Coordinates of all heavy atoms in Angstrom, one line a residue:
L118 N -12.3 55.0 34.6 CA -10.9 54.9 34.4 C -10.4 53.6 34.8 O -10.8 53.0 35.8 CB -10.2 56.0 35.2 CG -10.5 57.4 34.8 CD1 -11.1 58.2 35.8 CD2 -9.2 58.1 34.3
L119 N -9.4 53.1 34.0 CA -8.7 51.9 34.4 C -7.3 52.3 34.6 O -6.6 52.7 33.7 CB -8.8 50.8 33.3 CG -8.3 49.4 33.7 CD1 -9.0 48.3 32.9 CD2 -6.8 49.3 33.5
L120 N -6.8 52.2 35.9 CA -5.5 52.5 36.2 C -4.6 51.3 36.3 O -5.1 50.3 37.0 CB -5.4 53.3 37.5 CG -6.3 54.6 37.6 CD1 -6.0 55.3 38.9 CD2 -6.0 55.5 36.4
L121 N -3.5 51.3 35.8 CA -2.6 50.1 35.7 C -1.3 50.4 36.4 O -0.6 51.3 36.0 CB -2.4 49.7 34.3 CG -1.9 48.3 34.0 CD1 -2.8 47.2 34.5 CD2 -1.7 48.1 32.5
F122 N -0.9 49.5 37.4 CA 0.4 49.7 38.1 C 1.1 48.4 38.1 O 0.5 47.3 38.1 CB 0.1 50.1 39.5 CG -0.6 51.4 39.6 CD1 -1.9 51.5 40.0 CD2 0.1 52.6 39.3 CE1 -2.6 52.7 40.1 CE2 -0.6 53.8 39.4 CZ -1.9 53.9 39.8
D123 N 2.4 48.5 38.0 CA 3.3 47.3 38.0 C 3.8 47.0 39.4 O 4.6 47.7 40.0 CB 4.5 47.6 37.1 CG 5.5 46.5 37.0 OD1 5.3 45.5 37.7 OD2 6.5 46.6 36.3
P124 N 3.3 45.9 40.0 CA 3.6 45.5 41.4 C 5.0 45.1 41.6 O 5.5 44.9 42.7 CB 2.6 44.4 41.7 CG 2.3 43.7 40.4 CD 2.4 44.8 39.4
S125 N 5.8 44.8 40.5 CA 7.1 44.4 40.6 C 8.1 45.6 40.8 O 9.3 45.4 41.0 CB 7.6 43.5 39.4 OG 7.6 44.3 38.2
R126 N 7.6 46.8 40.7 CA 8.4 48.0 41.0 C 8.9 48.0 42.4 O 8.2 47.5 43.3 CB 7.6 49.2 40.7 CG 7.2 49.5 39.3 CD 8.3 50.3 38.6 NE 7.7 51.2 37.7 CZ 7.3 50.9 36.5 NH1 7.6 49.7 35.9 NH2 6.8 51.8 35.7
E127 N 10.0 48.7 42.6 CA 10.5 48.9 44.0 C 9.4 49.6 44.8 O 8.7 50.4 44.3 CB 11.8 49.7 43.9 CG 12.6 49.8 45.1 CD 12.2 51.0 45.9 OE1 11.8 52.1 45.3 OE2 12.1 50.9 47.2
K128 N 9.3 49.2 46.1 CA 8.1 49.6 46.9 C 7.9 51.2 46.9 O 6.7 51.6 46.6 CB 8.4 49.2 48.3 CG 7.1 48.8 49.1 CD 7.5 48.1 50.4 CE 7.3 49.1 51.5 NZ 7.7 48.5 52.8
E129 N 8.9 51.9 47.1 CA 8.8 53.4 47.1 C 8.4 53.9 45.8 O 7.7 54.9 45.7 CB 10.1 54.0 47.7 CG 10.3 53.9 49.2 CD 9.0 54.4 50.0 OE1 8.6 55.6 49.7 OE2 8.5 53.7 50.8
T130 N 9.0 53.3 44.7 CA 8.7 53.8 43.4 C 7.2 53.6 43.1 O 6.5 54.5 42.5 CB 9.6 53.0 42.3 OG1 10.9 53.1 42.7 CG2 9.4 53.6 40.9
L131 N 6.8 52.4 43.4 CA 5.4 52.1 43.2 C 4.4 53.0 43.9 O 3.4 53.5 43.4 CB 5.1 50.6 43.6 CG 3.7 50.1 43.5 CD1 3.2 50.2 42.0 CD2 3.5 48.7 43.9
K132 N 4.8 53.3 45.2 CA 4.0 54.2 46.0 C 3.9 55.6 45.3 O 2.8 56.1 45.2 CB 4.6 54.3 47.4 CG 3.9 55.1 48.4 CD 4.5 55.0 49.7 CE 4.0 56.0 50.7 NZ 4.5 55.8 52.0

Side-chain angles (χ1 to χ4, degrees):
L118 293 120
L119 190 151
L120 304 184
L121 194 62
F122 299 106
D123 176 357
S125 65
R126 291 271 218 272
E127 189 272 321
K128 212 169 104 183
E129 283 305 310
T130 309
L131 177 60
K132 184 171 168 174

